[in-house]
Amino acid sequence: MAPHRVSPDGIADLTIIGGGPTGIFAAFQCGMNNISCRIIESMPQLGGQLSALYPEKHIYDVAGFPEVPAAGLVESLWQQTERYSPEVVLSETVTAYRKLEGGDFEVTTASGRTFVSRALLLAAGLGAFSPRKLPQLGDISPLEDRSVFYAVKNVADFRDRKVVIVGGGDSALDWTVGLMGVAGKVTLVHRMQEFQGHGKTAREVDEARESGTIDVSLNTEVASIDFDGDGLKAVHFRRRDGSTFSVEADRLLLLIGFKSNLGPIAGWGLELVDNAVVVDSHMKTTVDGLYAAGDIASYQGKLKIIQTGLSDAAMAVRHSLTYIKPGEKIRHTFSSVKMAREKKSEAPNA
């Protein structure tokens, strides 16, 4: 099986902007459709948010995986894709694109590098993202990634610690449950009366509270914190009724969401809705030859989950063939047939 490599002149059939699950699976689909591709990812590793923010979080709604750690899903997607040897460019942020004479696309990165391809696929997820913070805490940057965290990247950071978790969504509930057998003590606070996370996990949290395994306080907000050069010492709270209380803590886990923006892509003149790029049923944007897939793509009825992003990727690559290879008849080949042929060609006596 010969990989579909970028041509010696540096022109790929498809440039994929974004190396999260959608971008990686799009590269696999390029291999399945016998075209070359490159992935350009702004982070130093593939995986997008799954690698950067939630590597140890378990995912339950991807077909074929009853339960899989986020990092494990990224690894599996890459194992599926690497057989086709896509070009991967890391730590480069695409800032601009232009359509060349003849219909090819040139993209430019923040460092000044340029890349050319026949077509272009946006798979940049939610764009640039940053954690939501609590303004009442002021500048706590010296504590970040030491005592104050916005994601669980390494469970060991919380082992045997007194952990305060702030939030009421899926991430806050998931990690309340996930850290119960790891942390020395877990306290969960939420500013509202009810959790917004998945019902099953919320019930697990309620059961743990009733059994005394964890402490939970609703209608409660963080008022301030105590810390010194060694790190966090205590967290002070204010309830909605005006009463206050404090908890000794050496870890504060703020899981109150992220802010996102499209960054330079927002200025590319594409049609946007709710910070996403509008596409048609073929995943094509308002620019011929430029496609979008995953969370960055907007269409009627869109469901922003990983599974949908994978489907978007397959659709985008498939329909990009009519632009990359104009006039050619596009035939569908089942994966089982294609893989059988590839394995036969790889056999020693083939």
Side-chain angles (χ1 to χ4, degrees):
M1 184 270 298
H4 308 290
R5 298 186 187 278
V6 174
S7 65
D9 60 7
I11 300 177
D13 289 318
L14 184 69
T15 291
I16 302 165
I17 300 176
T22 297
I24 297 172
F25 192 65
F28 168 72
Q29 288 295 321
C30 287
M32 291 294 294
N33 286 281
N34 302 314
I35 61 173
S36 65
C37 73
R38 75 167 54 86
I39 301 172
I40 304 178
E41 166 58 45
S42 62
M43 302 293 289
Q45 74 282 322
L46 294 175
Q49 291 189 44
L50 296 189
S51 294
L53 300 177
Y54 314 118
E56 298 201 35
K57 182 176 181 178
H58 283 238
I59 299 169
Y60 301 90
D61 60 352
V62 176
F65 291 93
E67 176 181 353
V68 59
L73 178 59
V74 172
E75 182 179 357
S76 293
L77 285 166
W78 179 246
Q79 286 177 356
Q80 185 180 30
T81 302
E82 65 179 342
R83 68 184 287 112
Y84 295 117
S85 303
E87 179 184 336
V88 177
V89 180
L90 300 175
S91 300
E92 287 282 3
T93 300
V94 174
T95 56
Y97 89 94
R98 67 187 181 105
K99 202 167 184 180
L100 304 176
E101 185 176 352
D104 288 351
F105 288 82
E106 179 186 79
V107 297
T108 304
T109 67
S111 69
R113 297 175 69 184
T114 59
F115 301 89
V116 178
S117 58
R118 309 295 183 200
L120 196 58
L121 171 61
L122 297 176
L126 299 173
F129 53 88
S130 58
R132 295 187 184 277
K133 302 184 179 183
L134 297 177
Q136 63 268 35
L137 299 186
D139 180 13
I140 56 172
S141 55
L143 297 175
E144 293 176 346
D145 293 325
R146 291 179 53 236
S147 295
V148 177
F149 297 83
Y150 303 99
V152 177
K153 298 180 182 180
N154 189 343
V155 170
D157 290 328
F158 303 89
R159 190 172 303 281
D160 300 325
R161 300 291 187 169
K162 299 172 184 175
V163 181
V164 170
I165 300 176
V166 180
D170 286 324
S171 290
L173 298 183
D174 286 347
W175 281 117
T176 297
V177 174
L179 293 177
M180 284 193 299
V182 176
K185 179 181 179 183
V186 175
T187 301
L188 172 65
V189 298
H190 182 39
R191 63 185 179 85
M192 301 178 70
Q193 176 60 38
E194 296 182 352
F195 297 123
Q196 279 71 57
H198 191 274
K200 178 179 181 295
T201 315
R203 288 191 294 273
E204 290 183 60
V205 170
D206 285 335
E207 291 170 1
R209 173 176 54 177
E210 292 171 1
S211 68
T213 304
I214 61 173
D215 292 333
V216 177
S217 184
L218 301 175
N219 294 319
T220 301
E221 294 187 339
V222 175
S224 62
I225 59 175
D226 289 339
F227 62 93
D228 59 23
D230 294 326
L232 184 68
K233 299 301 179 184
V235 182
H236 306 290
F237 303 98
R238 181 181 296 107
R239 297 187 181 94
R240 187 172 295 177
D241 62 11
S243 62
T244 61
F245 68 100
S246 302
V247 171
E248 288 186 4
D250 46 23
R251 294 290 185 270
L252 177 60
L253 182 54
L254 299 173
L255 299 177
I256 52 179
F258 288 82
K259 298 178 292 183
S260 65
N261 65 77
L262 293 181
I265 295 173
W268 286 10
L270 303 173
E271 184 180 354
L272 303 177
V273 171
D274 295 331
N275 207 41
V277 178
V278 175
V279 297
D280 63 14
S281 60
H282 288 184
M283 300 293 125
K284 188 176 76 173
T285 70
T286 50
V287 175
D288 197 22
L290 201 166
Y291 302 81
D295 285 349
I296 200 171
S298 174
Y299 50 84
Q300 188 174 5
K302 176 63 176 281
L303 185 62
K304 291 190 175 184
I305 59 174
I306 293 173
Q307 193 72 50
T308 304
L310 305 183
S311 174
D312 287 352
M315 292 277 287
V317 171
R318 178 69 175 175
H319 292 299
S320 74
L321 299 179
T322 60
Y323 186 87
I324 295 169
K325 301 178 178 182
E328 289 192 23
K329 186 174 182 179
I330 308 301
R331 293 182 174 85
H332 176 72
T333 302
F334 290 104
S335 61
S336 55
V337 175
K338 179 176 174 61
M339 291 299 179
R341 290 174 179 169
E342 290 181 359
K343 289 179 180 179
K344 183 177 180 180
S345 69
E346 294 168 355
N349 297 322

